[in-house]
């Protein structure tokens, strides 16, 4: 069915044992720093913020830079980032191409506006707007089928981590292997989103490693080696360097710090 998915359950150490030369090296993975502006910035304000971000990241070619903006800001920001190293992203997408879905935006609409990336399944969408594994799966497929890169968010709440069941709530959706090159998995511990709390470098790397091991089991080691796994739990200018140095963390999905060009620039520098 469309809702086939892999769920890790009850496994304390789910890493795959491989020979030294086969370990999943980060050497060939390019880091991706994506700013999630959430519900901030009018189109006028968004233009100024985009200009500020560009001034901070121009000339930095060591990683990919994305800004995921509110729907109404997309045309304004598209004008600013066109021809620069900054790629344009959206924060959500509907799973149908067209129809009677008042207030929704399709993947083809986004693509026609110059969008290349889209966030799906963010914890705030799940908590406040009723997103489920099924709808997130459908949205991701719609984005991928339109040629967009899907940033699929997964994570756990504080009580789930404290109970030791992190692995049980990190799901991988059944996406065809040929589309995995356009998939980014963003690990966002829900207990760290907007709270100022951050997983330790080792905690973040551990779960990102679990995600990569699931991909290896399902798609093989080569796909897992190439998969971009971001950390999305209150990464900021102060902690970015340590987090981005970890073996399984290939970038960040940045919330509050993405609204501060200087801080965002520091994170992009750390990713290089």
């Amino acid at each position: 069915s469309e809702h086939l998915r892999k769920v890790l359950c009850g496994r304390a150490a789910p890493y795959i044992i491989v020979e030294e030369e086969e370990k999943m090296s980060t050497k060939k993975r390019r880091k991706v720093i994506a700013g999630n502006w959430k519900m901030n910035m009018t189109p006028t304000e968004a233009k100024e913020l985009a200009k500020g971000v560009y001034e901070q990241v121009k000339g930095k070619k060591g990683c990919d830079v994305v800004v995921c903006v509110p729907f109404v800001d997309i045309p304004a920001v598209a004008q600013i980032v066109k021809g620069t190293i900054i790629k344009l992203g959206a924060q959500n997408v509907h799973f149908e191409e067209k129809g009677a879905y008042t207030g929704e935006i399709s993947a083809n609409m986004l693509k026609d506006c110059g969008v290349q990336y889209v966030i799906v399944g963010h914890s705030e969408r799940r908590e406040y707007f009723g997103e489920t594994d099924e709808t997130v799966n459908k949205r991701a497929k719609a984005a991928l089928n339109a040629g967009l890169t899907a940033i699929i968010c997964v994570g756990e709440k504080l009580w789930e981590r404290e109970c030791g069941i992190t692995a049980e709530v990190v799901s991988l959706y059944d996406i065809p292997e040929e589309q995995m090159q356009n998939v980014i998995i963003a690990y966002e511990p829900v207990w760290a989103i907007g709270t100022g709390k951050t997983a330790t470098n080792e905690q973040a790397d551990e779960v990102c490693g679990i995600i990569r091991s699931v991909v290896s089991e399902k798609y093989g080691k080569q796909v897992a080696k190439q998969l971009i796994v971001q950390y999305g739990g209150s990464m900021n200018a102060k902690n970015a360097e340590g987090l981005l140095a970890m073996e399984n963390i290939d970038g960040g999905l940045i919330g509050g710090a993405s609204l501060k060009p200087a801080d965002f620039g520091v994170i992009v520098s750390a990713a290089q």
Side-chain angles (χ1 to χ4, degrees):
S1 75
E2 287 294 308
H3 191 44
L4 288 176
R5 57 189 174 91
K6 178 81 171 182
V7 181
L8 303 179
C9 295
R11 300 161 74 181
Y15 293 102
I16 295 173
I17 299 175
V18 294
E19 296 298 326
E20 185 69 27
E21 65 270 19
E22 293 179 341
K23 284 184 179 178
M24 298 175 194
S25 172
T26 62
K27 290 182 180 178
K28 294 184 180 180
R29 293 198 298 271
R30 186 175 175 85
K31 285 184 168 53
V32 179
I33 302 298
N36 176 15
W37 292 6
K38 304 191 180 185
M39 195 180 73
N40 294 290
M41 302 294 138
T42 65
T44 300
E45 294 168 337
K47 280 186 177 181
E48 295 306 309
L49 178 56
K51 290 176 183 177
V53 170
Y54 170 69
E55 289 300 319
Q56 293 295 324
V57 305
K58 65 181 180 181
K60 298 178 181 179
K61 301 179 180 180
C63 70
D64 291 338
V65 180
V66 185
V67 290
C68 298
V69 308
F71 289 138
V72 296
D73 293 342
I74 288 173
V77 175
Q79 295 176 14
I80 305 301
V81 304
K82 185 177 181 179
T84 74
I85 67 167
I86 303 172
K87 307 300 182 184
L88 184 59
Q91 298 174 9
N92 191 27
V93 63
H94 192 59
F95 40 79
E96 297 292 349
E97 292 186 6
K98 61 178 67 174
Y101 302 102
T102 301
E104 293 293 333
I105 305 293
S106 74
N108 286 331
M109 291 175 181
L110 294 176
K111 188 174 182 179
D112 197 50
C113 290
V115 169
Q116 294 175 268
Y117 293 74
V118 61
I119 300 170
V120 294
H122 192 281
S123 60
E124 291 161 357
R125 297 294 311 173
R126 296 175 188 264
E127 181 175 359
Y128 303 130
F129 302 103
E131 290 278 5
T132 65
D133 286 345
E134 182 177 7
T135 61
V136 172
N137 179 245
K138 292 170 71 174
R139 293 177 197 275
K141 287 179 177 291
L144 293 168
N145 289 338
L148 302 176
T149 295
I151 302 175
I152 303 174
C153 300
V154 298
E156 85 283 15
K157 297 179 180 179
L158 180 58
W159 71 267
E160 291 168 328
R161 166 162 284 280
E162 290 177 341
C163 290
I165 58 173
T166 295
E168 296 181 29
V169 295
V170 177
S171 305
L172 177 67
Y173 304 101
D174 187 42
I175 292 171
E177 181 176 340
E178 61 270 19
Q179 292 186 331
M180 285 300 293
Q181 62 183 341
N182 291 326
V183 168
I184 295 173
I185 302 293
Y187 166 53
E188 47 162 17
V190 179
W191 50 272
I193 305 300
T195 65
K197 298 180 180 180
T198 309
T200 66
N201 298 344
E202 292 73 21
Q203 286 173 332
D205 189 62
E206 176 189 15
V207 181
C208 290
I210 292 172
I211 293 168
R212 199 177 304 284
S213 71
V214 172
V215 173
S216 183
E217 289 176 354
K218 187 172 180 63
Y219 298 103
K221 294 170 185 169
Q222 190 58 40
V223 173
K225 287 179 181 179
Q226 296 174 350
L227 176 70
I228 302 298
V229 183
Q230 295 177 320
Y231 176 70
S234 296
M235 183 183 287
N236 55 51
K238 293 181 179 179
N239 61 32
E241 185 174 0
L243 287 164
L244 292 169
M246 303 306 290
E247 180 179 357
N248 287 296
I249 299 177
D250 307 314
L253 181 58
I254 315 300
S258 69
L259 301 175
K260 303 173 182 177
D263 287 5
F264 192 68
V266 170
I267 297 171
V268 170
S269 295
Q272 295 185 102

